[in-house]
Amino acid sequence: MKEGFCVEKIKTLCRVYITDSFDNKVVFCYTLLFPALYFVYMNFKQIRQAHHYSINEISNVFQPYWAYIIFISLLNTVIVTTIVQRESGYYKEFYFIVGSKWLIFVANFIIQVAFILVELLLFTILGMVLLRSWHFSILFSSLLGGILAVIPVTLGLSILFVFRIKVQSLSVIGTLLFFVLCYIAALPSKTPLFHLMSLLNPYKYTIVLIGLSDSFVNNGNISFSSLIQLLIVTVAFCLIGLKGFSKFDIRPILDRL
């Protein structure tokens, strides 16, 4: 009876978050429109050519865009949105109605993951249509990468819950964080240890995880050294998540001063 009641609460919250997500056009521009336009700009010459590209050629081009969609969506629509809702008192109001801060988070997480998978599909379909090269395995690869990445990346980003961040600073911090992580992700990995440490960057982690899953789906190959490193970092993200979520307080910062 209690489990069924929780499910009904999550369904109700999901409907609320679906409405909010459709109303938030700015997030849509960041997560899908921007990478789509940037893809067209960066690959305009290839798009104009009547050439059939191989699976590996297309997937290598798509992987950074998939990673961007996954990472920026989780950062903005899950982590940052949760902090904004807390500081505005929205989260606290929901808590008094639902009785659990985790049900609220889970409902939003479910909806945002669904949107991420849809955006990955739309971007991949658009890219293959423009390049005039169609491979169903690439569609599956994009979805698999998204499904595998969403939980550990969210846990890694939950470290932001530990800090007292005011709403006025969120947009600046979020933008700065993304560019810093992108810059760090582009640094060459000179040693296996450095590569392992670099995977603690959630954006780099997403790129490597997508590349590994894509290689497995399209070529049947898998790098066991990369897999072991990803597993180690996944455990680290789980520990970070335990710390981040344990420190998450539904009260706005001003109420705790």
Side-chain angles (χ1 to χ4, degrees):
M1 182 70 178
K2 187 176 180 180
E3 291 181 0
F5 189 54
C6 289
V7 171
E8 288 302 318
K9 287 182 178 180
I10 290 178
K11 287 182 179 179
T12 302
L13 289 168
C14 284
R15 286 193 287 267
V16 173
Y17 280 116
I18 288 174
T19 303
D20 288 345
S21 297
F22 277 116
D23 289 340
N24 197 342
K25 305 297 191 300
V26 176
V27 172
F28 169 78
C29 292
Y30 270 111
T31 58
L32 182 59
L33 186 59
F34 173 73
L37 292 176
Y38 191 69
F39 169 80
V40 173
Y41 171 75
M42 293 298 295
N43 298 277
F44 188 70
K45 182 178 179 181
Q46 289 77 8
I47 291 172
R48 291 184 59 187
Q49 295 175 349
H51 180 72
H52 183 78
Y53 295 94
S54 67
I55 292 178
N56 289 333
E57 288 175 323
I58 294 179
S59 61
N60 288 336
V61 171
F62 285 176
Q63 286 174 19
Y65 297 96
W66 291 340
Y68 171 87
I69 291 172
I70 295 168
F71 175 80
I72 206 69
S73 296
L74 292 174
L75 176 62
N76 285 334
T77 65
V78 177
I79 302 300
V80 171
T81 294
T82 299
I83 296 174
V84 170
Q85 290 175 345
R86 180 191 67 190
E87 296 307 311
S88 64
Y90 188 71
Y91 210 96
K92 193 174 182 179
E93 290 179 6
F94 263 13
Y95 173 77
F96 287 133
I97 296 173
V98 177
S100 170
K101 62 182 180 181
W102 305 124
L103 289 182
I104 304 169
F105 185 87
V106 168
N108 182 40
F109 179 75
I110 291 172
I111 295 306
Q112 300 312 326
V113 169
F115 272 95
I116 288 172
L117 297 180
V118 171
E119 288 172 351
L120 288 172
L121 279 178
L122 291 175
F123 175 85
T124 305
I125 291 172
L126 174 65
M128 288 193 292
V129 168
L130 292 175
L131 293 175
R132 294 179 290 279
S133 300
W134 187 266
H135 303 280
F136 281 103
S137 62
I138 293 182
L139 283 175
F140 176 73
S141 180
S142 67
L143 292 177
L144 179 62
I147 292 170
L148 293 176
V150 288
I151 292 180
V153 172
T154 300
L155 291 173
L157 289 173
S158 69
I159 191 65
L160 294 176
F161 291 152
V162 174
F163 306 103
R164 292 189 173 186
I165 305 174
K166 295 184 178 180
V167 174
Q168 298 88 337
S169 308
L170 270 177
S171 59
V172 176
I173 292 175
T175 303
L176 182 62
L177 178 64
F178 172 71
F179 282 110
V180 169
L181 293 181
C182 284
Y183 175 78
I184 296 175
L187 295 176
S189 300
K190 297 181 180 180
T191 64
L193 179 60
F194 182 85
H195 181 69
L196 177 62
M197 297 301 294
S198 69
L199 289 177
L200 290 171
N201 173 352
Y203 182 66
K204 179 65 174 287
Y205 175 93
T206 307
I207 293 176
V208 174
L209 177 59
I210 286 175
L212 193 68
S213 63
D214 189 60
S215 176
F216 177 74
V217 170
N218 293 318
N219 302 315
N221 300 326
I222 191 167
S223 170
F224 286 99
S225 60
S226 296
L227 178 61
I228 292 172
Q229 288 181 327
L230 284 172
L231 290 175
I232 293 172
V233 175
T234 300
V235 172
F237 280 167
C238 290
L239 296 176
I240 292 172
L242 289 175
K243 179 69 173 179
F245 283 106
S246 67
K247 292 293 183 179
F248 180 71
D249 196 321
I250 63 171
R251 294 174 299 164
I253 291 177
L254 294 177
D255 290 354
R256 287 176 269 159
L257 296 177

